[in-house]
Amino acid sequence: MYDALTMPIVMSSTYTFGSTDEIRDLVARKAAGGPPVRYEYGRYGNPTQTAAERKLAELDGGERALLFSSGMAAITASLLSLAAAGDHLIVIDGLYRRTREFVSQYLPRWGIDATFADADDIRAAIRPSTRAVFFEMPTNPHLRVPDAESIVALTKHHGLTTLVDATFATPVNLRPLELGVDIVIHSATKYLGGHNDLLAGAVIGSAERLAGIEEARGVFGGVAGALDAYLLLRGAKTLALRVRRQNESAQCLAEFLEHHSAVSRVHYPGLPSHPDHAVAARLMSGFGGVVSFELAGGLDAAAACIDRLEIPHIGPTFGGVESIAQQQALFVSPDPVERAASGISDGLIRYAVGIESIDDLIDDLRSALRGLPTRGGGGLSDGP
Ligand SMILES: *Cc1c(COP(=O)(O)O)cnc(C)c1O
């Protein structure tokens, strides 16, 4: 537009017609199907949004992309446009909390049933009414990496749609469409935006698969604004640089933590000790910027460690240039029994690495862990 190197932010919510003939032409072309031919009203598209969608489609190697106002708007519109009353979905355990809530609390109200299964139990969960399989890759906070290739072999055989929320991976580390996945979803709020200054979601796939989801977006209304689309385009320019740096730093951090006596367990797919290391090494080109680890000293030790850390902020998100650490158990419940049932251990810290100096990050962690209880009993750690 205007030969501008940087995409302009087009704030118009309305696009006008030169004559009534233009309206007739637009309606006729819409009736014939196919992608939108011009702008009319901001809920159906905007030039800055279109530019961001083209970028997202290229990044994931898809024919088309749809931008939404948040990751949740992308997920809910996708699932609701795929399934109707009487249909059944299979989701793999370890979902983002709000996605799990949508699937277990909301979809049943509209007669859509879902089974939560382990990656290995999908076959057994398939019913005649099953429409789709949805999973995250990697999952949060244990960073499990379902074997998308074998899942796709199964879903294709049964004619099911496969959707992957690849927020943790980004297209830099994982290209699910190349593995045969039908629809990729991202919370663009995280790495794609990368600077903790926008909320957006993305859905990528073939034009055919996305047509119904685009229709749903126009009805439900979860479109991204032009300013967020612009910020996303801007963030995308450095995506590969940021993610590669975060991959490297997270690997260093994970290796440091694995040898630390105050740490009882490290969850990072780049470590050979991770249960999905082999799958991740086969399917992904990087292991991501989030490391989860458990402290031997449990709830209090994890809180002490987070409070002592000077570089990471304390907060709920990840994917930005600033490191952020969070004690997952605190978000689950104040009740120890409920926490135990959630599968998230009291001593677990999710550390989302930013782009700071890795030496500084490790020095900071070493100080924060000093004196905390060590694994295998009681002693206090001086750190390695
Ligand atoms: C954050 C997140 C979401 C939700 O995205 P929003 O942009 O916050 O709505 C969905 N899935 C995963 C894996 C996430 O981390």
Side-chain angles (χ1 to χ4, degrees), residues 23-366:
I23 300 180
R24 269 189 287 275
D25 183 50
L26 173 68
V27 172
R29 287 197 201 203
K30 271 195 185 173
V37 284
R38 58 155 285 163
Y39 299 105
E40 49 178 314
Y41 182 63
R43 187 155 26 76
Y44 311 123
N46 158 296
T48 317
Q49 181 193 308
T50 305
E53 289 175 337
R54 294 217 170 100
K55 174 64 78 179
L56 290 164
E58 275 171 35
L59 281 169
D60 255 305
E63 197 180 351
R64 280 203 76 198
L66 297 171
L67 192 62
F68 285 83
S69 56
S70 70
M72 285 314 299
I75 291 166
T76 53
S78 299
L79 292 180
L80 282 173
S81 76
L82 266 166
D87 287 345
H88 172 250
L89 304 175
I90 298 171
V91 296
I92 299 185
D93 277 331
L95 291 185
Y96 176 68
R97 193 160 57 101
R98 297 303 185 190
T99 307
R100 187 173 54 217
E101 187 178 341
F102 177 68
V103 168
S104 62
Q105 314 280 319
Y106 286 81
L107 287 181
R109 295 191 198 174
W110 298 302
I112 301 164
D113 200 14
T115 302
F116 286 75
D118 277 342
D120 300 333
D121 299 333
I122 296 176
R123 188 187 304 273
I126 296 175
R127 305 177 189 167
S129 58
T130 306
R131 289 286 163 269
V133 175
F134 178 100
F135 56 99
E136 290 176 20
M137 193 175 169
T139 67
N140 171 32
H142 296 114
L143 304 162
R144 296 300 308 261
V145 183
D147 185 344
E149 268 183 337
S150 59
I151 293 171
V152 163
L154 186 65
T155 52
K156 283 216 189 306
H157 181 70
H158 290 269
L160 310 177
T161 303
T162 314
L163 301 96
V164 168
D165 177 340
T167 301
F168 271 76
T170 83
V172 179
N173 289 336
L174 177 70
R175 309 240 299 173
L177 298 175
E178 288 171 4
L179 303 175
V181 166
D182 300 303
I183 293 173
V184 182
I185 299 179
H186 295 282
S187 166
T189 312
K190 316 293 168 49
Y191 291 102
L192 297 178
H195 296 75
N196 293 313
D197 56 4
L198 68 88
L199 275 164
V203 178
I204 302 103
S206 69
E208 194 187 344
R209 297 245 181 222
L210 263 49
I213 302 174
E214 182 172 25
E215 186 69 26
R217 183 183 64 177
V219 175
F220 301 163
V223 288
L227 181 59
D228 283 337
Y230 168 82
L231 288 170
L232 182 57
L233 279 166
R234 178 166 173 138
K237 293 184 187 193
T238 54
L239 177 70
L241 287 176
R242 288 185 281 107
V243 169
R244 286 192 191 116
R245 164 77 167 221
Q246 286 164 314
N247 287 343
E248 278 168 27
S249 294
Q251 182 76 36
C252 289
L253 218 67
E255 286 169 10
F256 165 78
L257 287 163
E258 195 165 50
H259 295 110
H260 199 290
S261 57
V263 176
S264 51
R265 186 156 179 207
V266 183
H267 304 266
Y268 186 67
L271 294 176
S273 61
H274 190 278
D276 302 321
H277 176 65
V279 176
R282 178 159 50 85
L283 303 184
M284 300 178 69
S285 40
F287 299 113
V290 176
V291 181
S292 294
F293 57 101
E294 296 175 31
L295 292 191
L299 196 70
D300 294 342
C305 171
I306 288 179
D307 287 334
R308 284 185 202 163
L309 283 168
E310 289 187 0
I311 299 176
H313 298 270
I314 305 174
T317 190
F318 60 90
V321 290
E322 296 97 356
S323 292
I324 291 197
Q326 172 179 278
Q327 189 169 8
Q328 297 285 109
L330 298 184
F331 284 82
V332 176
S333 165
D335 174 20
V337 179
E338 276 184 29
R339 285 203 305 273
S342 77
I344 292 178
S345 92
D346 277 351
L348 185 125
I349 294 174
R350 187 181 77 186
Y351 192 124
V353 182
I355 60 168
E356 303 90 342
S357 142
I358 182 61
D359 293 338
D360 291 351
L361 293 179
I362 288 187
D363 285 348
D364 185 35
L365 250 180
R366 186 182 284 115

